Amino acid sequence: YQRRVRDTTRNEAKKMATTTLQSLDTQHQDMIHDAQLDYYGRRLATCSSDRTIKIFEVGDDEQAAQQPSAILTGHQGPVWEVAWLHPKFGNVLASCSYDRKVLIWKEEAPNQWQIVFTYAEHELSVNSLDWAPHTAGCRLACASSDGRVSVVSHASGTDGGAAAWRAESFSAHEIGVNCVSWAPADIAGAGSAGDALRLASGGCDNLIKVWKFDAANNKWLCEHELAMHSDWVRDVAWAPRVGKERTLASCSQDGTVVIWTQRADEVWYPRVLPKFNDVVWRVSWSLTGGILAVSGGDNTVSLWREDTDGSWAVLSTVDDGATTAAQ
């Protein structure tokens, strides 16, 4: 299996080309479920059903990148997702697994990774995790099939040991939670008290829920329930904030992707992309929020952009062997 790291560059207003920067064989022994670049784009973390996490140095030396700089073992089941913490907190990686655990890893010495915290309070598989914006502190949201979302946080000013970590959880989706995403800093709030923290979750009840932290009562409140999908919500992702609008993308087992926009009236307005041929597993925004990448069960990734009239158009489609640009 080859994991390709791609760079997308806009050539024309209606044309997008995709260039393979680097190709590597991860040598995982089973299916790869996630691959995430770190903040600087120099390291790639992959995770697999073979229960391992691998770290690759994806710099200019392509030959050196063919071998992992570290292999992390600690889970007893398939590892679904990995997430890098902002580098202001050090070289830290989180992982979640079917084994019901969340592991937080820290690089204590070059290429020497240690588990600094294990969260094992969920009753079923932990399916998704996401770090909060660094301005909101060291906080990790975790979504589980037991229907709960946990927020694991690190107390500042401590020695960094296991005692420095604490967690809280709340019931989010009765049948199970498949995905979770923190709102950007200017939406989630940057205050240390967490007075405006927000996150979104997607569940097996076909709903997306937007949550806000009520600092006065120290609990999470559901602000909005968004219903448009007819099957399990597989992923949800906030777009970087541009102007006064808030934008959220969601995808589903039903083959649909919905772009949700919240305007000044606080109402969320949906716009559905043309239906895909298979389940849609993941959605991901570009750093500026102008382009949405959609990954489907048909092994393709398509790139979408909003036109001036508010409609969404595909820029290009990438499969394992070729790129097709929109005309």
Side-chain angles (χ1 to χ4, degrees), residues 58-79:
V58 289
D60 298 328
D61 190 343
E62 185 169 352
Q63 184 174 359
Q66 298 304 312
Q67 296 297 323
S69 60
I71 301 177
L72 313 185
T73 57
H75 285 291
Q76 285 78 51
V79 186

Side-chain angles (χ1 to χ4, degrees), residues 15-308:
K15 198 168 186 177
M16 178 73 68
T18 307
T19 303
T20 300
L21 289 179
Q22 199 170 101
S23 178
L24 59 92
D25 182 358
T26 65
Q27 300 181 42
H28 277 294
Q29 299 304 306
D30 209 329
M31 182 181 297
I32 295 174
H33 295 292
D34 198 14
Q36 296 291 334
L37 289 166
D38 70 356
Y39 179 83
Y40 298 108
R42 306 295 291 181
R43 278 178 161 176
L44 178 71
T46 63
C47 63
S48 167
S49 279
D50 66 9
R51 306 182 180 186
T52 67
I53 300 160
K54 296 187 179 183
I55 311 294
F56 297 88
E57 310 296 324
V58 289
D60 298 328
D61 190 343
E62 185 169 352
Q63 184 174 359
Q66 298 304 312
Q67 296 297 323
S69 60
I71 301 177
L72 313 185
T73 57
H75 285 291
Q76 285 78 51
V79 186
W80 302 131
E81 286 191 11
V82 289
W84 293 94
L85 182 58
H86 191 278
K88 72 171 286 186
F89 300 104
N91 294 327
V92 177
L93 184 73
S95 59
C96 63
S97 168
Y98 181 78
D99 65 6
R100 303 175 293 177
K101 295 179 182 178
V102 174
L103 301 182
I104 297 179
W105 310 77
K106 185 174 183 181
E107 189 178 31
E108 302 287 4
N111 301 323
Q112 300 296 314
W113 293 80
Q114 301 292 329
I115 299 173
V116 295
F117 183 66
T118 299
Y119 181 65
E121 298 303 317
H122 282 291
E123 298 176 357
L124 293 172
S125 171
V126 183
N127 303 316
S128 178
L129 41 71
D130 190 33
W131 290 104
H134 69 278
T135 52
C138 184
R139 303 169 189 257
L140 178 70
C142 316
S144 172
S145 292
D146 64 11
R148 302 186 68 82
V149 169
S150 293
V151 178
V152 179
S153 58
H154 186 273
S156 59
T158 61
D159 60 4
W165 295 89
R166 61 178 182 270
E168 58 183 343
S169 67
F170 58 92
S171 180
H173 300 263
E174 184 176 355
I175 310 176
V177 192
N178 296 320
C179 51
V180 66
S181 176
W182 286 94
D186 54 353
I187 300 175
S192 59
D195 56 338
L197 291 170
R198 282 185 176 85
L199 54 81
S201 62
C204 300
D205 54 6
N206 309 343
L207 297 175
I208 300 102
K209 295 185 180 182
V210 179
W211 303 87
K212 180 179 179 180
F213 184 68
D214 179 3
N217 296 296
N218 194 35
K219 64 180 181 180
W220 288 89
L221 303 176
C222 182
E223 277 192 313
H224 302 278
E225 286 190 5
L226 310 181
M228 182 62 66
H229 296 291
S230 61
D231 209 333
W232 291 8
V233 178
R234 285 299 182 180
D235 197 18
V236 61
W238 291 87
R241 185 94 181 255
V242 178
K244 296 181 179 181
E245 293 185 349
R246 298 169 179 172
T247 302
L248 191 64
S250 62
C251 64
S252 170
Q253 190 83 24
D254 64 11
T256 63
V257 172
V258 181
I259 311 296
W260 304 87
T261 303
Q262 186 186 44
R263 303 193 175 99
D265 58 5
E266 297 295 314
V267 176
W268 287 92
Y269 296 92
R271 185 177 291 272
V272 183
L273 298 188
K275 189 174 177 64
F276 291 79
N277 296 325
D278 207 331
V279 53
V280 184
W281 293 110
R282 301 292 291 271
V283 285
S284 179
W285 294 94
S286 63
L287 291 177
T288 59
I291 296 174
L292 178 70
V294 178
S295 176
D298 57 358
N299 296 323
T300 63
V301 177
S302 55
L303 304 179
W304 297 77
R305 187 183 63 200
E306 186 178 15
D307 286 337
T308 55

